[in-house]
Structure formats: structure tokens, C-alpha cells
Amino acid sequence: MDAIQDEAVGKRARGLDRAFEILDFLRQKRQALKPNEIAAQIGAPRSSVYELVNLLLSNGILEFTGGEGRVYLGRKLYFLGAAYENHFDFTRECEAALEQLADETRETAQFCMLDGNKYTVVRMREGARPFRISTDIGQSVPIPWTASGRLLVAHLSDQEILSFIPSQDFRLPNGEWLDPQTFIAEVRQAEREGLFTFNSIVDSFTHCFAVPVRGEEGYAAATLCLVTPRDDGIANRDRYLDCLKKAATGLDHAPARPKRG
């Protein structure tokens, strides 16, 4: 009997893992897909994907959209996210810090974190310039492409970094390969200095600044960033870094702090 119960528990756990895989896959693709397309692209049996998709649809976690049986993330996920944000003071503090940074520098300010083994922008405030720089919130980006990435993995050993980051993520947008040892050297530089700045790898027009927002463990749980036109960023480097460091200090240890009352 115990063996049968253990098997049932294991099956439910695998089903939950697969359901989360479906949701995360749709989030990354950012488009509605048919269940058979999802199954093919995540390498899962079609029968189990159809079963889980129907369950998620019945609970409002997925919704039909785009016709021909395509599904995408449902509005219930929005309400779950809103309930999470309402429970934490940090979201409000983060928004205030980004607004202040954007006002002080007139540049695009971002709050960034790791999502699995990828980098993502969690919150953003665009600057006041006529030419604005922005990015898609929640989009997964390879860690080596970003200034923040050097800080977000700095608590790991060299070997842990190489095991954590997929080898293909060292291939840059222009097709060139970033030497992993060069990346690790930059990680250690960022760790020593408590910041990292560089001309963006993703485009040729911007300069990126990142400083850590430290969690209770003392390492970078997140980063605050500025994304600026290249010439302006280099010209204002010291002032921008001062603004970032001041804002990050106010957020240190905040990411896991629950709301009082």
C-alpha cells in the first residue's frame, strides 16, 4: 500500500513540475500556442500536456486566445501576482527607488534579478529623454550579456558559475563567443568593486551600469541598473554610480521582507 501511495505522490509531483514547465515556457515564448506545439517544443508527451492544459484552463491559469485552440497565460495569474505584491512592502520601495533614479539622471532605471539561470528585468522606469531606452519586463536574457549578470553570480565559485550558465549563453548577439574565463574575471572584478559598467553587448548605442541590492545573506539578490546613451553614460559615470549606490543601499535586505500587519 505504501508503495502505491508513494507512486501516486510521485506522479502528482511530476505533473506539477510539468505544469510549471508549461507556464514558464509560455512566459518565455510570449505568444499563444496550441497544446501539441507546446508538447513538441518542451519534449513532453502530448497526452500529458493536453491533460494538464485542460486542468489549467479549468482553473483560469491558462486561457484560450488567438483561435484554433491556442492557449496563453490566464488572468488568474495576474491576481495571484497582485496578491503577492500586496503582501510585501518591497515592491512599493522598489518603485520609489526607480522613480527617483529616473528623475535624478533622466535615464532608464531598472531592477533586475535572476530567473533560474537567466537574467530578467523585474521593474523599470523610463527616463525623461526624447530618445528613450527600454526593454521587455520579464524577458529572459543570457547572464553573460548583461552588466548585472556579473554581480548576480559573484557569490558562486568559478566552477559553480560554469556549471550554472549554459555553455550556449556565452555566444553573444553578434555571433561571437565570450571566453568564459574572461567573464569570470569580470565577475571577480565586479565582486571587488561592488559595481559593473560596460558598453552594452546587446546593442552598440548604450552604456550599462549595475550595482548590487544585497539580500540577508550578504550577496547580490538583485541589482539596480541604469541604461544610458553611450556617450552620456561615460561622461556622467561617477554621478550615475553615486545615485545608484545610494538607491541600492536603501533597498538592501528588502527583497524578502514581508509587509507588517
Side-chain angles (χ1 to χ4, degrees):
M1 181 64 70
D2 288 344
I4 295 175
Q5 289 177 338
D6 288 345
E7 183 179 353
V9 170
K11 185 177 180 180
R12 285 196 295 271
R14 290 191 295 274
L16 280 172
D17 285 343
R18 184 69 77 189
F20 285 123
E21 184 180 8
I22 291 169
L23 294 174
D24 198 52
F25 176 73
L26 288 171
R27 180 183 67 85
Q28 292 181 31
K29 296 298 288 186
R30 292 177 172 263
Q31 65 181 97
L33 294 169
K34 300 176 183 178
N36 64 315
E37 294 172 329
I38 297 171
Q41 294 188 51
I42 67 175
R46 285 199 295 177
S47 58
S48 64
V49 169
Y50 272 98
E51 181 180 357
L52 287 168
V53 164
N54 285 330
L55 180 62
L56 294 168
L57 284 166
S58 67
N59 284 278
I61 304 299
L62 292 179
E63 295 179 355
F64 285 115
T65 183
E68 298 183 348
R70 292 184 179 87
V71 297
Y72 194 60
L73 304 177
R75 69 193 68 188
K76 191 168 185 178
L77 291 172
Y78 170 81
F79 296 118
L80 291 171
Y84 171 83
E85 290 192 350
N86 186 58
H87 186 64
F88 286 86
D89 286 328
F90 173 67
T91 302
R92 192 157 38 251
E93 295 177 17
C94 179
E95 295 283 0
L98 292 175
E99 185 173 352
Q100 181 176 348
L101 276 171
D103 287 344
E104 289 178 346
T105 65
R106 301 179 69 244
E107 309 290 4
T108 296
Q110 299 175 340
F111 179 81
C112 309
M113 300 181 76
L114 291 182
D115 178 19
N117 59 7
K118 296 292 191 290
Y119 153 98
T120 189
V121 176
V122 180
R123 287 284 187 274
M124 181 178 67
R125 280 291 179 272
E126 290 184 339
R129 294 178 174 277
F131 173 71
R132 296 187 180 183
I133 300 168
S134 62
T135 191
D136 291 332
I137 293 175
Q139 183 176 4
S140 296
V141 176
I143 291 170
W145 295 11
T146 69
S148 289
R150 274 78 175 164
L151 292 161
L152 291 169
V153 299
H155 62 290
L156 301 176
S157 70
D158 293 1
Q159 187 55 53
E160 286 173 334
I161 291 172
L162 295 178
S163 298
F164 180 63
I165 299 176
S167 58
Q168 65 269 22
D169 284 4
F170 288 98
R171 186 182 184 92
L172 303 178
N174 63 4
E176 295 180 1
W177 286 90
L178 174 63
D179 181 0
Q181 294 305 317
T182 298
F183 175 76
I184 288 175
E186 292 173 346
V187 169
R188 299 307 168 213
Q189 174 191 342
E191 184 179 24
R192 288 191 305 270
E193 297 179 354
L195 60 93
F196 195 79
T197 73
F198 72 165
N199 290 330
S200 174
I201 291 173
V202 177
D203 66 60
S204 58
F205 304 104
T206 61
H207 192 79
C208 302
F209 300 80
V211 301
V213 176
R214 301 190 186 279
E216 293 181 353
E217 300 85 357
Y219 59 79
T223 60
L224 278 179
C225 314
L226 287 175
V227 184
T228 76
R230 182 170 293 185
D231 290 344
D232 292 333
I234 293 172
N236 293 281
R237 183 178 189 276
D238 291 343
R239 183 170 71 86
Y240 286 178
L241 284 172
D242 285 343
C243 292
L244 277 170
K245 290 176 182 178
K246 181 180 178 181
T249 299
L251 294 177
D252 279 349
H253 311 302
R257 185 169 69 241
K259 197 174 183 179
R260 294 180 181 176

